[in-house]
Amino acid sequence: MPQHDLVVIGAGPGGYVAAIRAAQLGLNVACVEKEPALGGTCLRIGCIPSKALLESSLRYHEARHALAGFGVKVGSVELDLPAMLQRKDKIVETMTNGIGLLFKKRKITRYQGHGRLAGAGRVVVEGPGGATEIETRHVILATGSISAPLRGVEPDGHRIGTSTEGLSFAEVPAHLVVIGAGFIGLELGSVWSRLGAKVTVLEYLDRILPGTDSQIARQAQRLFTEQGLTFKLGSRVTGARVKGDTCIVEYEGAEPIECDRVLLAVGRKPCTDNLGLDTVGITLDERGRVPVNEHFATAANGVFAIGDVIRGPMLAHKAEEEGVACVEQIVTGYCHVNYDAIPGVVYTEPEIAGVGKTEDELKESGVPYRKGVFQYRANGRAHALGQIEGSVKVLAHKETDRVLGVHILGARAGDLIAEAVAAIEFGASSEDLARTCHAHPTLAEILKEAALSVDNRPVHA
Ligand code: NAD
């Protein structure tokens, strides 16, 4: 029977990073993955392919609508959707193969098949060639999540689908109805809208992007509406079915909508089916997650869990941090993840990014704060880029000035937020950010000016 120090079940960003860190620390490590390609949802059918399509669709949209404004005349612009999809698939192939190379280099053993616990210190892999039993001292469950179902909505994998289908429509839908104005709904809704689809977003709540700073979310909704997306808020979807070539989507409070494609994006749920949890005495919590302590340890000795399958935001980078921390805990007996410094990014145009507390959370918890806001339109680089919509908001403690949260709506927000994450990680004050030299002309100056605005002394406003 093969023996390992550590078996990681799942090769998504949580699992593969944990496996690499374990190999770096000298463990004899194996990773079990049911798909032939490594990388999990993120690399195969999530973050990476969606970003490829977001970039392609943006180029197409800019060539048609924006380049003339930059003084660039182009002839007729045509969409080559098969080439766009092929480019996306090629990027996925490159990235997933890359993980395979990293595994080889680190001498990480790969098992292809469905992994499950089989009592203490045992994992069984049901692979294409039959079942393999493995002996191991430690197991990390990193099985991720799948699209959450919605009662009354039956994905048929064609007209009614989840993000997986939404990444590969063979033609541009005439009318796409998106259920859920969260990360996936807005990103994929943007892709198909730019490529020419009419897009209607049905959202149960009275706002988009629950959990993000509500002021930023309102501004973003205005911009997305100007871009052509139609939002129907307070619209709880109760059913969707296919009738011939059309789909009928029913929601509370209004007549059903007819469309030719439906994208179901109402969240994700942890992947725990057939994991053998009962063989080691693990029971799921009320939301179907694997309960863990602050060291990622489950109720079973030697079994740990990280990423989407445990509590916290379902984000690839959160899973990566946990993967590293969990392995370091196993090897060194110490680990730490700062959950106040985990950024969230929505890759729309403009992007939305945030870290730390939102203004809503600070108000709710009664923490005294000061706020500095600075607009993109007062920044020279934003004008050069042709992207003057948006703002940066810095929230700092009223007495200590410690940065508590930063929220950005604007071009390249996803890159700019890194400085704010570092500021929070190092316990910086808004004064620290304000006194840090920022290259000119860059968008990063907007963050500096927002920090100066906390003390009411912006230079360019
Ligand atoms: P989400 O939780 O972000 O949004 C789901 C939305 O659906 C919510 O606004 C919710 O109110 C709405 N909803 C629920 N039931 C509904 C109903 N019956 N009718 C209408 N609306 C309804 O979920 P998602 O967009 O599916 O994304 C899933 C996960 O994947 C998230 O946890 C997200 O963090 C992650 N993700 C992250 C990124 C990124 O980091 N850029 C991108 C994609 C997905």
Side-chain angles (χ1 to χ4, degrees):
M1 187 186 304
Q3 290 184 340
H4 298 282
D5 298 324
L6 170 68
V7 171
V8 182
I9 303 183
Y16 84 70
V17 168
I20 290 172
R21 184 70 187 120
Q24 284 173 345
L25 291 172
L27 298 191
N28 170 352
V29 56
C31 187
V32 183
E33 170 56 56
K34 64 179 168 27
E35 300 291 334
L38 300 171
T41 299
C42 170
L43 270 74
R44 294 185 308 106
I45 48 170
C47 318
I48 298 302
S50 63
K51 262 76 270 173
L53 285 187
L54 278 158
E55 287 301 333
S56 286
S57 60
L58 190 61
R59 298 285 194 287
Y60 172 70
H61 193 264
E62 283 179 349
R64 290 188 68 200
H65 303 288
L67 287 187
F70 283 81
V72 180
K73 272 192 184 172
V74 285
S76 73
V77 177
E78 279 176 50
L79 174 64
D80 185 349
L81 185 57
M84 217 176 251
L85 296 177
Q86 236 171 43
R87 173 180 183 272
K88 172 206 62 165
D89 293 340
K90 183 84 195 118
I91 292 170
V92 168
E93 193 186 324
T94 306
M95 299 309 294
T96 54
N97 285 345
I99 309 296
L101 292 176
L102 292 176
F103 271 20
K104 256 196 197 127
K105 185 170 173 240
R106 301 276 176 201
K107 301 193 171 34
I108 295 165
T109 308
R110 252 178 94 169
Y111 293 94
Q112 199 201 322
H114 178 96
R116 64 177 160 79
L117 300 163
R122 290 267 198 284
V123 169
V124 169
V125 182
E126 316 265 6
T132 310
E133 198 166 346
I134 312 168
E135 206 173 271
T136 179
R137 285 171 55 210
H138 304 99
V139 178
I140 297 179
L141 304 172
T143 47
S145 61
I146 52 169
S147 296
L150 183 62
R151 190 196 297 249
V153 178
E154 288 292 322
D156 67 345
H158 177 53
R159 297 220 168 262
I160 302 180
T162 63
S163 50
T164 306
E165 289 79 30
L167 287 167
S168 297
F169 292 150
E171 70 272 345
V172 178
H175 185 187
L176 170 68
V177 167
V178 175
I179 309 176
F183 284 64
I184 293 177
L186 293 179
E187 290 185 359
L188 287 181
S190 295
V191 164
W192 295 106
S193 165
R194 289 171 195 162
L195 298 181
K198 173 182 172 186
V199 174
T200 306
V201 184
L202 301 176
E203 167 58 48
Y204 168 59
L205 299 173
D206 61 357
R207 55 162 295 173
I208 66 168
L209 292 171
T212 56
D213 191 275
S214 60
Q215 191 183 17
I216 294 269
R218 268 197 307 278
Q219 289 167 3
Q221 189 189 333
R222 180 178 56 77
L223 295 179
F224 300 151
T225 303
E226 282 169 18
Q227 289 169 13
L229 268 66
T230 301
F231 290 93
K232 290 184 186 291
L233 303 182
S235 303
R236 190 171 78 89
V237 172
T238 53
R241 60 195 150 87
V242 178
K243 195 176 159 196
D245 282 346
T246 55
C247 314
I248 298 168
V249 184
E250 286 157 359
Y251 62 105
E252 281 175 355
E255 290 300 304
I257 304 184
E258 278 194 23
C259 60
D260 58 339
R261 297 271 182 178
V262 176
L263 170 67
L264 178 63
V266 294
R268 299 180 61 82
K269 62 171 203 166
C271 250
T272 52
D273 281 355
N274 191 21
L275 265 187
L277 299 177
D278 52 327
T279 67
V280 293
I282 297 174
T283 41
L284 301 176
D285 71 10
E286 71 294 347
R287 291 170 65 180
R289 303 171 299 196
V290 176
V292 290
N293 68 11
E294 71 278 23
H295 298 141
F296 310 102
T298 67
N301 204 13
V303 180
F304 299 78
I306 57 166
D308 287 8
V309 85
I310 66 167
R311 78 285 187 271
M314 290 183 169
L315 296 170
H317 46 276
K318 175 255 191 191
E320 291 183 34
E321 293 303 315
E322 291 178 341
V324 168
C326 179
V327 167
E328 291 181 354
Q329 174 68 34
I330 291 170
V331 176
T332 68
Y334 176 78
C335 80
H336 178 68
V337 173
N338 180 0
Y339 288 98
D340 281 333
I342 294 189
V345 181
V346 193
Y347 296 86
T348 43
E349 189 60 43
E351 293 178 350
I352 302 164
V355 62
K357 301 283 182 241
T358 62
E359 197 173 350
D360 316 82
E361 285 170 336
L362 293 180
K363 277 186 189 149
E364 211 168 286
S365 56
V367 174
Y369 67 93
R370 292 196 300 168
K371 131 168 118 166
V373 177
F374 198 79
Q375 303 296 328
Y376 268 63
R377 62 181 65 249
N379 174 273
R381 189 70 191 284
H383 281 269
L385 284 168
Q387 294 185 302
I388 58 169
E389 293 289 354
S391 58
V392 175
K393 184 199 277 194
V394 173
L395 301 165
H397 196 284
K398 195 170 182 178
E399 278 122 39
T400 65
D401 193 36
R402 188 175 179 141
V403 177
L404 302 174
V406 175
H407 304 279
I408 309 176
L409 166 71
R412 300 182 192 172
D415 295 311
L416 296 181
I417 202 69
E419 182 184 357
V421 177
I424 289 185
E425 191 67 56
F426 287 113
S429 62
S430 79
E431 184 72 13
D432 289 328
L433 275 179
R435 288 193 180 273
T436 301
C437 181
H438 288 68
H440 175 76
T442 59
L443 297 177
E445 290 171 289
I446 307 172
L447 182 55
K448 177 186 171 99
E449 290 271 19
L452 280 164
S453 303
V454 171
D455 192 39
N456 223 359
R457 52 180 223 270
V459 176
H460 294 91

